[in-house]
Amino acid sequence: MMFRRSPGGKAIAGGLAQPARAVLFAAMASCLLSPAAALAEPPTAVIPKQTIYPGEKLDASMLEVVDVTNPDLRDGYVRSIDEVDGMVTKRTLLPGRVILASALREQYAVERGSTVRLVFNNGGLTITAAGSPLQDAAVGDLIRVRNVDTGVIVSGTVMADSTIHVVAK
């Protein structure tokens, strides 16, 4: 860095220091005086009011919405109660901590060991049978199911009405 003498006898930094300082000052002033920055609402996060254990279904009475004060908080947390109402927890949620979206799942439409209806469609032919899922699954999941009558294991997609549409081999 080079220095030169000012007319008053004091040494000042030469080169790019003076223009860089002016640009920095202008950027700070525009951020502070910007009407959009003043009107922006702080981000919110959903936190539990009590300890919530894995497998519990969430509802609005267990949760509260707070303003985010930590600017270093990483993305991936839940911002509104509407996003989590009716979801089920995968792991323990502690009071006062943000809820990560990865800690939640949809409620299962079919549960392992229960009895469900298997449906196979091929053109005009429709075959139905009783089945028992070999795993828990949400709507849209591809799972394996045992036909109760024959013992044959087939794969199928879980539908919203808790039936399983069998996939042709």
mmCIF file of all heavy atoms in Angstrom, residues 90-126:
data_model
loop_
_atom_site.group_PDB
_atom_site.id
_atom_site.type_symbol
_atom_site.label_atom_id
_atom_site.label_comp_id
_atom_site.label_asym_id
_atom_site.label_seq_id
_atom_site.Cartn_x
_atom_site.Cartn_y
_atom_site.Cartn_z
ATOM 1 N N LYS A 90 -40.996 -38.159 12.920
ATOM 2 C CA LYS A 90 -40.067 -39.279 12.761
ATOM 3 C C LYS A 90 -39.127 -39.389 13.948
ATOM 4 O O LYS A 90 -38.583 -40.447 14.220
ATOM 5 C CB LYS A 90 -39.200 -39.092 11.504
ATOM 6 C CG LYS A 90 -39.900 -39.242 10.203
ATOM 7 C CD LYS A 90 -38.829 -39.268 9.124
ATOM 8 C CE LYS A 90 -39.276 -38.686 7.834
ATOM 9 N NZ LYS A 90 -38.193 -38.617 6.854
ATOM 10 N N ARG A 91 -38.868 -38.259 14.622
ATOM 11 C CA ARG A 91 -37.968 -38.257 15.775
ATOM 12 C C ARG A 91 -38.499 -37.292 16.834
ATOM 13 O O ARG A 91 -39.435 -36.547 16.590
ATOM 14 C CB ARG A 91 -36.546 -37.901 15.362
ATOM 15 C CG ARG A 91 -36.407 -36.649 14.564
ATOM 16 C CD ARG A 91 -34.939 -36.460 14.159
ATOM 17 N NE ARG A 91 -34.820 -35.471 13.121
ATOM 18 C CZ ARG A 91 -34.564 -35.750 11.857
ATOM 19 N NH1 ARG A 91 -34.411 -36.978 11.467
ATOM 20 N NH2 ARG A 91 -34.455 -34.791 10.971
ATOM 21 N N THR A 92 -37.886 -37.304 17.998
ATOM 22 C CA THR A 92 -38.336 -36.481 19.117
ATOM 23 C C THR A 92 -38.140 -35.009 18.809
ATOM 24 O O THR A 92 -37.069 -34.593 18.355
ATOM 25 C CB THR A 92 -37.553 -36.849 20.398
ATOM 26 O OG1 THR A 92 -37.722 -38.238 20.655
ATOM 27 C CG2 THR A 92 -38.037 -36.046 21.582
ATOM 28 N N LEU A 93 -39.189 -34.206 19.056
ATOM 29 C CA LEU A 93 -39.133 -32.757 18.875
ATOM 30 C C LEU A 93 -39.139 -32.106 20.247
ATOM 31 O O LEU A 93 -40.006 -32.394 21.070
ATOM 32 C CB LEU A 93 -40.327 -32.268 18.056
ATOM 33 C CG LEU A 93 -40.522 -32.908 16.684
ATOM 34 C CD1 LEU A 93 -41.784 -32.372 16.034
ATOM 35 C CD2 LEU A 93 -39.317 -32.674 15.801
ATOM 36 N N LEU A 94 -38.152 -31.245 20.501
ATOM 37 C CA LEU A 94 -38.006 -30.619 21.807
ATOM 38 C C LEU A 94 -38.623 -29.225 21.823
ATOM 39 O O LEU A 94 -38.577 -28.513 20.812
ATOM 40 C CB LEU A 94 -36.529 -30.544 22.188
ATOM 41 C CG LEU A 94 -35.817 -31.895 22.300
ATOM 42 C CD1 LEU A 94 -34.334 -31.690 22.527
ATOM 43 C CD2 LEU A 94 -36.430 -32.720 23.403
ATOM 44 N N PRO A 95 -39.187 -28.815 22.946
ATOM 45 C CA PRO A 95 -39.794 -27.482 23.025
ATOM 46 C C PRO A 95 -38.758 -26.385 22.817
ATOM 47 O O PRO A 95 -37.624 -26.491 23.284
ATOM 48 C CB PRO A 95 -40.371 -27.427 24.437
ATOM 49 C CG PRO A 95 -39.949 -28.648 25.131
ATOM 50 C CD PRO A 95 -39.298 -29.566 24.171
ATOM 51 N N GLY A 96 -39.163 -25.348 22.092
ATOM 52 C CA GLY A 96 -38.279 -24.210 21.853
ATOM 53 C C GLY A 96 -37.313 -24.383 20.703
ATOM 54 O O GLY A 96 -36.579 -23.461 20.375
ATOM 55 N N ARG A 97 -37.288 -25.544 20.063
ATOM 56 C CA ARG A 97 -36.389 -25.790 18.923
ATOM 57 C C ARG A 97 -37.204 -25.794 17.642
ATOM 58 O O ARG A 97 -38.340 -26.264 17.629
ATOM 59 C CB ARG A 97 -35.704 -27.150 19.065
ATOM 60 C CG ARG A 97 -34.873 -27.307 20.293
ATOM 61 C CD ARG A 97 -33.429 -27.010 19.971
ATOM 62 N NE ARG A 97 -32.591 -27.118 21.132
ATOM 63 C CZ ARG A 97 -31.649 -28.032 21.269
ATOM 64 N NH1 ARG A 97 -31.446 -28.932 20.349
ATOM 65 N NH2 ARG A 97 -30.900 -28.030 22.351
ATOM 66 N N VAL A 98 -36.624 -25.298 16.556
ATOM 67 C CA VAL A 98 -37.346 -25.299 15.282
ATOM 68 C C VAL A 98 -37.581 -26.730 14.818
ATOM 69 O O VAL A 98 -36.818 -27.642 15.150
ATOM 70 C CB VAL A 98 -36.590 -24.503 14.186
ATOM 71 C CG1 VAL A 98 -36.519 -23.033 14.535
ATOM 72 C CG2 VAL A 98 -35.231 -25.072 13.921
ATOM 73 N N ILE A 99 -38.646 -26.916 14.051
ATOM 74 C CA ILE A 99 -38.981 -28.234 13.525
ATOM 75 C C ILE A 99 -38.456 -28.316 12.098
ATOM 76 O O ILE A 99 -38.822 -27.503 11.250
ATOM 77 C CB ILE A 99 -40.505 -28.452 13.532
ATOM 78 C CG1 ILE A 99 -41.035 -28.377 14.962
ATOM 79 C CG2 ILE A 99 -40.856 -29.794 12.895
ATOM 80 C CD1 ILE A 99 -42.540 -28.425 15.057
ATOM 81 N N LEU A 100 -37.589 -29.259 11.829
ATOM 82 C CA LEU A 100 -37.072 -29.469 10.483
ATOM 83 C C LEU A 100 -38.090 -30.268 9.679
ATOM 84 O O LEU A 100 -38.726 -31.187 10.197
ATOM 85 C CB LEU A 100 -35.745 -30.210 10.524
ATOM 86 C CG LEU A 100 -34.602 -29.487 11.235
ATOM 87 C CD1 LEU A 100 -33.366 -30.367 11.263
ATOM 88 C CD2 LEU A 100 -34.297 -28.178 10.546
ATOM 89 N N ALA A 101 -38.233 -29.920 8.411
ATOM 90 C CA ALA A 101 -39.165 -30.632 7.545
ATOM 91 C C ALA A 101 -38.774 -32.102 7.399
ATOM 92 O O ALA A 101 -39.635 -32.965 7.228
ATOM 93 C CB ALA A 101 -39.226 -29.954 6.179
ATOM 94 N N SER A 102 -37.494 -32.397 7.506
ATOM 95 C CA SER A 102 -37.027 -33.779 7.379
ATOM 96 C C SER A 102 -37.404 -34.634 8.587
ATOM 97 O O SER A 102 -37.280 -35.851 8.543
ATOM 98 C CB SER A 102 -35.517 -33.806 7.178
ATOM 99 O OG SER A 102 -34.861 -33.259 8.308
ATOM 100 N N ALA A 103 -37.866 -34.021 9.679
ATOM 101 C CA ALA A 103 -38.250 -34.761 10.876
ATOM 102 C C ALA A 103 -39.719 -35.168 10.848
ATOM 103 O O ALA A 103 -40.223 -35.729 11.814
ATOM 104 C CB ALA A 103 -37.976 -33.921 12.116
ATOM 105 N N LEU A 104 -40.409 -34.887 9.741
ATOM 106 C CA LEU A 104 -41.839 -35.172 9.630
ATOM 107 C C LEU A 104 -42.121 -36.074 8.442
ATOM 108 O O LEU A 104 -41.357 -36.127 7.490
ATOM 109 C CB LEU A 104 -42.621 -33.868 9.478
ATOM 110 C CG LEU A 104 -42.399 -32.818 10.560
ATOM 111 C CD1 LEU A 104 -43.112 -31.535 10.176
ATOM 112 C CD2 LEU A 104 -42.874 -33.319 11.898
ATOM 113 N N ARG A 105 -43.239 -36.768 8.499
ATOM 114 C CA ARG A 105 -43.689 -37.596 7.383
ATOM 115 C C ARG A 105 -45.207 -37.552 7.332
ATOM 116 O O ARG A 105 -45.864 -37.176 8.299
ATOM 117 C CB ARG A 105 -43.204 -39.034 7.539
ATOM 118 C CG ARG A 105 -43.776 -39.745 8.750
ATOM 119 C CD ARG A 105 -43.508 -41.240 8.727
ATOM 120 N NE ARG A 105 -43.886 -41.881 9.968
ATOM 121 C CZ ARG A 105 -45.126 -42.202 10.316
ATOM 122 N NH1 ARG A 105 -46.131 -41.953 9.491
ATOM 123 N NH2 ARG A 105 -45.383 -42.781 11.478
ATOM 124 N N GLU A 106 -45.745 -37.969 6.195
ATOM 125 C CA GLU A 106 -47.194 -38.088 6.054
ATOM 126 C C GLU A 106 -47.680 -39.248 6.911
ATOM 127 O O GLU A 106 -46.947 -40.195 7.168
ATOM 128 C CB GLU A 106 -47.566 -38.356 4.589
ATOM 129 C CG GLU A 106 -47.278 -37.203 3.646
ATOM 130 C CD GLU A 106 -48.227 -36.038 3.824
ATOM 131 O OE1 GLU A 106 -49.374 -36.256 4.280
ATOM 132 O OE2 GLU A 106 -47.821 -34.918 3.535
ATOM 133 N N GLN A 107 -48.937 -39.190 7.308
ATOM 134 C CA GLN A 107 -49.513 -40.286 8.074
ATOM 135 C C GLN A 107 -49.666 -41.496 7.159
ATOM 136 O O GLN A 107 -49.991 -41.367 5.988
ATOM 137 C CB GLN A 107 -50.865 -39.863 8.628
ATOM 138 C CG GLN A 107 -51.433 -40.837 9.613
ATOM 139 C CD GLN A 107 -52.638 -40.270 10.326
ATOM 140 O OE1 GLN A 107 -53.068 -39.162 10.060
ATOM 141 N NE2 GLN A 107 -53.183 -41.038 11.232
ATOM 142 N N TYR A 108 -49.417 -42.695 7.699
ATOM 143 C CA TYR A 108 -49.519 -43.912 6.911
ATOM 144 C C TYR A 108 -50.975 -44.175 6.525
ATOM 145 O O TYR A 108 -51.878 -44.067 7.355
ATOM 146 C CB TYR A 108 -48.981 -45.119 7.675
ATOM 147 C CG TYR A 108 -47.489 -45.101 7.877
ATOM 148 C CD1 TYR A 108 -46.928 -45.476 9.083
ATOM 149 C CD2 TYR A 108 -46.632 -44.714 6.856
ATOM 150 C CE1 TYR A 108 -45.558 -45.476 9.272
ATOM 151 C CE2 TYR A 108 -45.263 -44.712 7.035
ATOM 152 C CZ TYR A 108 -44.737 -45.086 8.238
ATOM 153 O OH TYR A 108 -43.386 -45.080 8.412
ATOM 154 N N ALA A 109 -51.185 -44.573 5.271
ATOM 155 C CA ALA A 109 -52.517 -44.942 4.801
ATOM 156 C C ALA A 109 -52.797 -46.403 5.113
ATOM 157 O O ALA A 109 -53.940 -46.780 5.355
ATOM 158 C CB ALA A 109 -52.634 -44.687 3.306
ATOM 159 N N VAL A 110 -51.750 -47.245 5.075
ATOM 160 C CA VAL A 110 -51.885 -48.660 5.434
ATOM 161 C C VAL A 110 -50.754 -49.011 6.400
ATOM 162 O O VAL A 110 -49.656 -48.487 6.304
ATOM 163 C CB VAL A 110 -51.833 -49.601 4.201
ATOM 164 C CG1 VAL A 110 -53.008 -49.360 3.291
ATOM 165 C CG2 VAL A 110 -50.543 -49.464 3.441
ATOM 166 N N GLU A 111 -51.075 -49.904 7.324
ATOM 167 C CA GLU A 111 -50.076 -50.324 8.304
ATOM 168 C C GLU A 111 -49.783 -51.807 8.157
ATOM 169 O O GLU A 111 -50.655 -52.598 7.786
ATOM 170 C CB GLU A 111 -50.576 -50.020 9.716
ATOM 171 C CG GLU A 111 -50.673 -48.537 9.983
ATOM 172 C CD GLU A 111 -51.088 -48.226 11.411
ATOM 173 O OE1 GLU A 111 -51.242 -49.169 12.218
ATOM 174 O OE2 GLU A 111 -51.250 -47.041 11.705
ATOM 175 N N ARG A 112 -48.564 -52.158 8.443
ATOM 176 C CA ARG A 112 -48.095 -53.536 8.337
ATOM 177 C C ARG A 112 -48.975 -54.466 9.169
ATOM 178 O O ARG A 112 -49.304 -54.168 10.315
ATOM 179 C CB ARG A 112 -46.659 -53.587 8.840
ATOM 180 C CG ARG A 112 -46.038 -54.922 8.776
ATOM 181 C CD ARG A 112 -44.570 -54.797 9.176
ATOM 182 N NE ARG A 112 -44.063 -56.116 9.437
ATOM 183 C CZ ARG A 112 -43.601 -56.526 10.596
ATOM 184 N NH1 ARG A 112 -43.565 -55.700 11.614
ATOM 185 N NH2 ARG A 112 -43.171 -57.742 10.746
ATOM 186 N N GLY A 113 -49.381 -55.581 8.557
ATOM 187 C CA GLY A 113 -50.163 -56.579 9.262
ATOM 188 C C GLY A 113 -51.667 -56.381 9.204
ATOM 189 O O GLY A 113 -52.413 -57.283 9.546
ATOM 190 N N SER A 114 -52.130 -55.217 8.777
ATOM 191 C CA SER A 114 -53.575 -54.997 8.690
ATOM 192 C C SER A 114 -54.125 -55.673 7.431
ATOM 193 O O SER A 114 -53.369 -56.179 6.604
ATOM 194 C CB SER A 114 -53.884 -53.501 8.657
ATOM 195 O OG SER A 114 -53.330 -52.918 7.501
ATOM 196 N N THR A 115 -55.433 -55.681 7.290
ATOM 197 C CA THR A 115 -56.052 -56.271 6.111
ATOM 198 C C THR A 115 -56.470 -55.154 5.158
ATOM 199 O O THR A 115 -57.113 -54.195 5.574
ATOM 200 C CB THR A 115 -57.290 -57.105 6.499
ATOM 201 O OG1 THR A 115 -56.874 -58.117 7.408
ATOM 202 C CG2 THR A 115 -57.914 -57.761 5.285
ATOM 203 N N VAL A 116 -56.073 -55.287 3.895
ATOM 204 C CA VAL A 116 -56.411 -54.300 2.867
ATOM 205 C C VAL A 116 -57.007 -55.020 1.655
ATOM 206 O O VAL A 116 -56.945 -56.246 1.557
ATOM 207 C CB VAL A 116 -55.168 -53.486 2.430
ATOM 208 C CG1 VAL A 116 -54.626 -52.663 3.572
ATOM 209 C CG2 VAL A 116 -54.093 -54.387 1.875
ATOM 210 N N ARG A 117 -57.562 -54.228 0.756
ATOM 211 C CA ARG A 117 -58.124 -54.792 -0.470
ATOM 212 C C ARG A 117 -57.124 -54.609 -1.600
ATOM 213 O O ARG A 117 -56.657 -53.505 -1.852
ATOM 214 C CB ARG A 117 -59.443 -54.098 -0.806
ATOM 215 C CG ARG A 117 -60.199 -54.748 -1.946
ATOM 216 C CD ARG A 117 -61.617 -54.225 -2.052
ATOM 217 N NE ARG A 117 -61.654 -52.782 -2.139
ATOM 218 C CZ ARG A 117 -62.097 -52.114 -3.199
ATOM 219 N NH1 ARG A 117 -62.584 -52.748 -4.226
ATOM 220 N NH2 ARG A 117 -62.095 -50.809 -3.202
ATOM 221 N N LEU A 118 -56.791 -55.694 -2.270
ATOM 222 C CA LEU A 118 -55.912 -55.663 -3.442
ATOM 223 C C LEU A 118 -56.790 -55.552 -4.678
ATOM 224 O O LEU A 118 -57.806 -56.234 -4.795
ATOM 225 C CB LEU A 118 -55.085 -56.944 -3.536
ATOM 226 C CG LEU A 118 -54.164 -57.265 -2.365
ATOM 227 C CD1 LEU A 118 -53.511 -58.620 -2.567
ATOM 228 C CD2 LEU A 118 -53.127 -56.189 -2.219
ATOM 229 N N VAL A 119 -56.392 -54.698 -5.614
ATOM 230 C CA VAL A 119 -57.148 -54.511 -6.854
ATOM 231 C C VAL A 119 -56.184 -54.657 -8.019
ATOM 232 O O VAL A 119 -55.129 -54.010 -8.051
ATOM 233 C CB VAL A 119 -57.820 -53.118 -6.890
ATOM 234 C CG1 VAL A 119 -58.563 -52.920 -8.192
ATOM 235 C CG2 VAL A 119 -58.746 -52.931 -5.705
ATOM 236 N N PHE A 120 -56.567 -55.490 -8.994
ATOM 237 C CA PHE A 120 -55.779 -55.653 -10.217
ATOM 238 C C PHE A 120 -56.685 -55.339 -11.395
ATOM 239 O O PHE A 120 -57.755 -55.930 -11.542
ATOM 240 C CB PHE A 120 -55.245 -57.083 -10.336
ATOM 241 C CG PHE A 120 -54.506 -57.324 -11.614
ATOM 242 C CD1 PHE A 120 -53.240 -56.814 -11.803
ATOM 243 C CD2 PHE A 120 -55.095 -58.038 -12.647
ATOM 244 C CE1 PHE A 120 -52.545 -57.024 -12.989
ATOM 245 C CE2 PHE A 120 -54.419 -58.248 -13.838
ATOM 246 C CZ PHE A 120 -53.141 -57.744 -14.005
ATOM 247 N N ASN A 121 -56.267 -54.356 -12.211
ATOM 248 C CA ASN A 121 -57.021 -53.968 -13.407
ATOM 249 C C ASN A 121 -56.184 -54.270 -14.635
ATOM 250 O O ASN A 121 -55.004 -53.905 -14.695
ATOM 251 C CB ASN A 121 -57.346 -52.470 -13.405
ATOM 252 C CG ASN A 121 -58.397 -52.111 -12.389
ATOM 253 O OD1 ASN A 121 -59.332 -52.865 -12.174
ATOM 254 N ND2 ASN A 121 -58.238 -50.956 -11.765
ATOM 255 N N ASN A 122 -56.823 -54.901 -15.633
ATOM 256 C CA ASN A 122 -56.170 -55.141 -16.917
ATOM 257 C C ASN A 122 -57.258 -55.066 -17.983
ATOM 258 O O ASN A 122 -57.999 -56.022 -18.180
ATOM 259 C CB ASN A 122 -55.471 -56.493 -16.936
ATOM 260 C CG ASN A 122 -54.605 -56.670 -18.162
ATOM 261 O OD1 ASN A 122 -54.471 -55.753 -18.967
ATOM 262 N ND2 ASN A 122 -54.017 -57.851 -18.308
ATOM 263 N N GLY A 123 -57.356 -53.911 -18.613
ATOM 264 C CA GLY A 123 -58.411 -53.710 -19.605
ATOM 265 C C GLY A 123 -59.761 -53.706 -18.914
ATOM 266 O O GLY A 123 -60.022 -52.922 -18.021
ATOM 267 N N GLY A 124 -60.649 -54.627 -19.311
ATOM 268 C CA GLY A 124 -61.965 -54.721 -18.699
ATOM 269 C C GLY A 124 -62.002 -55.671 -17.533
ATOM 270 O O GLY A 124 -63.025 -55.810 -16.856
ATOM 271 N N LEU A 125 -60.914 -56.346 -17.248
ATOM 272 C CA LEU A 125 -60.857 -57.322 -16.168
ATOM 273 C C LEU A 125 -60.425 -56.660 -14.867
ATOM 274 O O LEU A 125 -59.422 -55.963 -14.809
ATOM 275 C CB LEU A 125 -59.855 -58.430 -16.523
ATOM 276 C CG LEU A 125 -59.582 -59.486 -15.451
ATOM 277 C CD1 LEU A 125 -60.818 -60.350 -15.256
ATOM 278 C CD2 LEU A 125 -58.388 -60.314 -15.841
ATOM 279 N N THR A 126 -61.198 -56.876 -13.799
ATOM 280 C CA THR A 126 -60.839 -56.370 -12.476
ATOM 281 C C THR A 126 -60.901 -57.523 -11.490
ATOM 282 O O THR A 126 -61.923 -58.209 -11.376
ATOM 283 C CB THR A 126 -61.804 -55.253 -12.024
ATOM 284 O OG1 THR A 126 -61.768 -54.195 -12.962
ATOM 285 C CG2 THR A 126 -61.418 -54.733 -10.657
#
